[in-house]
Amino acid sequence: MAASHPSTEMAASPMVRPTVQELAAAGAEEPPRQYVLPEQDRHGDLLAADEFPEPIPLVDLSRLTDADEAERLRAALQTWGFFLATNHGIEDSLMDAMTSVSREFFRQPAEERQKCSNLVDGNGKDYQVEGYGSDKVVSDDQVLNWSDRLHLRVEPEDERNFAKWPSHPESFRDVLQEYASRIKKIRDLVLRSIAKLLEIDEDYFVNQISNKAPGFARFNYYPPCPRPDLVLGLRAHSDGGLLTILFNDDTVGGLQVQRDGRWYNVPAKPHTLLINLADCLEIMNNGIFTSPVHRVVTNVEMDRLSLAVFYAVDAETMLEPAPGLLDDKRPPRYKKMVAKDFVAGLFEHFRQGKRFIDTLKI
């Protein structure tokens, strides 16, 4: 779970600011005003969320062919739009290595991290999605997230831009490539399982992913924040793509999910993966399972790290409910839209704290 904008188009002349890591290292007692959420958007203390009201939904991916496990998946998606995956086939050692190289990257000196900058040619004028940095800033009144990220394309494999992949630590590239190959298999397993729950062709959702469909790994780093009651690590949103697979920090909380207007803290469990639907899949399944709204709060003492892998459909794909889910009693709940046009509307709505998918509902 994290903001998902699977486009590599550059935005002209964003305003340049220090990374959040640099701000945190400076030791300011108050965050710059650009990071403070307006009072009308806070709805009280940002940290005053409820504890999860029931056991966190766990789904054993090795047992999805069993009817009881499939029903557990259905219940999780209907209730929350996400679940924690166990027995997913990725060894603890690979997950630990992924955590280790991620932390090592963010702990490097600023000049080393900036070798992967998302500002083109380091000139501070052109921003691209891939690389290391902070939010794209397009106006003085934009509320910024208290987080930095390293955003890297992992799919299609032949479009990976290794110039943006860290050269230090030296094992980073090999570890990420192995992790990405394993996560891709989980993506297909989960999409086929969801299709079976909906009683449509098992490969329907997988077939929406062409060999040019993008997949991005986003390493999110949340430094300690002096005012977690006023500042969010990541503003409320739902992911814009097809499916998100999150490897969450299990030592520091921060992820919250919204249901029925209330915020709940999402507990973490070591070596599990949090898998959530994204907006495009919500449209394709005609809203039977919905994309969850979530956010990340900050911590005054501890930093936090997560790795989200976002999967999307090809830019030319027509987003619409699957034909097998429509009949006289089940009309479409969303207007049709080409995926690239949907992506184009995501950022502006996210910046305004709104969900673009809501504008497509019939």
Side-chain angles (χ1 to χ4, degrees):
M1 293 184 174
S4 170
H5 309 298
S7 169
T8 54
E9 295 178 1
M10 290 179 287
S13 300
M15 305 174 71
V16 182
R17 300 189 193 279
T19 64
V20 178
Q21 278 188 271
E22 292 168 337
L23 291 173
E29 294 184 4
E30 292 289 331
R33 64 171 180 81
Q34 293 87 355
Y35 293 88
V36 176
L37 203 64
E39 189 171 355
Q40 67 268 21
D41 294 338
R42 277 182 242 147
H43 307 294
D45 188 344
L46 294 175
L47 301 178
D50 295 320
E51 293 308 307
F52 216 70
E54 56 200 53
I56 189 80
L58 295 173
V59 176
D60 184 339
L61 296 191
S62 70
R63 297 184 59 242
L64 279 175
T65 55
D66 296 351
D68 59 339
E69 206 65 27
E71 283 307 308
R72 194 169 285 118
L73 173 62
R74 183 194 303 275
L77 295 178
Q78 285 180 331
T79 306
W80 295 101
F82 76 90
F83 62 94
L84 285 184
T86 64
N87 289 326
H88 42 66
I90 301 180
E91 298 86 353
D92 291 357
S93 58
L94 177 56
M95 300 184 81
D96 291 342
M98 195 74 262
T99 298
S100 178
V101 296
S102 303
R103 285 206 171 275
E104 195 171 339
F105 170 79
F106 285 106
R107 286 174 176 167
Q108 294 179 110
E111 58 269 22
E112 191 65 34
R113 298 193 304 269
Q114 289 298 344
K115 291 178 181 179
C116 303
S117 175
N118 56 17
L119 298 177
V120 180
D121 296 327
N123 60 16
K125 292 182 179 180
D126 291 319
Y127 172 100
Q128 61 182 7
V129 170
E130 283 194 87
Y132 165 76
S134 303
D135 289 336
K136 178 175 70 175
V137 182
V138 296
S139 68
D140 268 333
D141 61 353
Q142 181 179 340
V143 179
L144 305 179
N145 296 305
W146 192 262
S147 57
D148 293 331
R149 81 293 309 259
L150 175 65
H151 202 97
L152 304 173
R153 179 186 285 268
V154 292
E155 297 293 338
E157 290 185 30
D158 61 0
E159 293 185 21
R160 292 174 178 174
N161 181 8
F162 290 118
K164 293 295 183 183
W165 289 42
S167 55
H168 297 284
E170 292 182 0
S171 59
F172 186 99
R173 181 181 296 190
D174 289 342
V175 173
L176 178 55
Q177 290 192 116
E178 177 63 21
Y179 182 82
S181 71
R182 307 288 283 279
I183 288 289
K184 185 177 179 180
K185 295 176 183 176
I186 294 172
R187 174 200 71 184
D188 291 349
L189 171 64
V190 171
L191 289 176
R192 289 191 172 100
S193 299
I194 293 173
K196 289 170 70 175
L197 289 177
L198 296 169
E199 299 181 352
I200 61 176
D201 178 57
E202 183 177 339
D203 289 323
Y204 181 81
F205 298 126
V206 172
N207 288 342
Q208 305 305 307
I209 306 172
S210 74
N211 59 6
K212 291 297 181 183
F216 287 93
R218 175 168 153 164
F219 300 81
N220 303 293
Y221 181 72
Y222 306 92
C225 177
R227 293 298 303 271
D229 57 323
L230 303 178
V231 175
L232 283 172
L234 192 58
R235 292 187 69 182
H237 67 287
S238 58
D239 294 342
L242 190 68
L243 195 74
T244 302
I245 303 180
L246 180 71
F247 180 17
N248 221 356
D249 194 327
D250 60 41
T251 59
V252 183
L255 179 63
Q256 297 180 343
V257 65
Q258 189 179 55
R259 190 176 76 174
D260 299 328
R262 300 179 68 175
W263 288 103
Y264 297 94
N265 293 314
V266 179
K269 186 177 175 64
H271 299 117
T272 58
L273 296 168
L274 190 152
I275 302 178
N276 69 273
L277 303 184
D279 294 347
C280 292
L281 190 55
E282 176 177 332
I283 294 171
M284 289 179 176
N285 80 69
N286 206 27
I288 296 171
F289 304 136
T290 58
S291 173
V293 175
H294 52 283
R295 68 184 186 185
V296 177
V297 296
T298 55
N299 188 294
V300 71
E301 294 179 346
M302 302 180 71
D303 63 355
R304 182 175 179 274
L305 183 70
S306 68
L307 168 56
V309 180
F310 301 109
Y311 290 107
V313 295
D314 185 77
E316 299 299 329
T317 298
M318 178 63 73
L319 297 177
E320 59 184 329
L325 298 174
L326 302 178
D327 54 37
D328 292 342
K329 295 182 180 180
R330 299 181 298 175
R333 299 177 183 175
Y334 304 87
K335 302 171 188 174
K336 296 181 182 181
M337 179 172 282
V338 177
K340 64 183 178 183
D341 296 331
F342 184 78
V343 169
L346 286 174
F347 177 75
E348 183 60 27
H349 281 72
F350 173 68
R351 195 170 69 85
Q352 297 173 5
K354 300 176 182 178
R355 294 179 76 213
F356 185 47
I357 190 175
D358 291 338
T359 68
L360 302 184
K361 292 181 178 178
I362 299 173

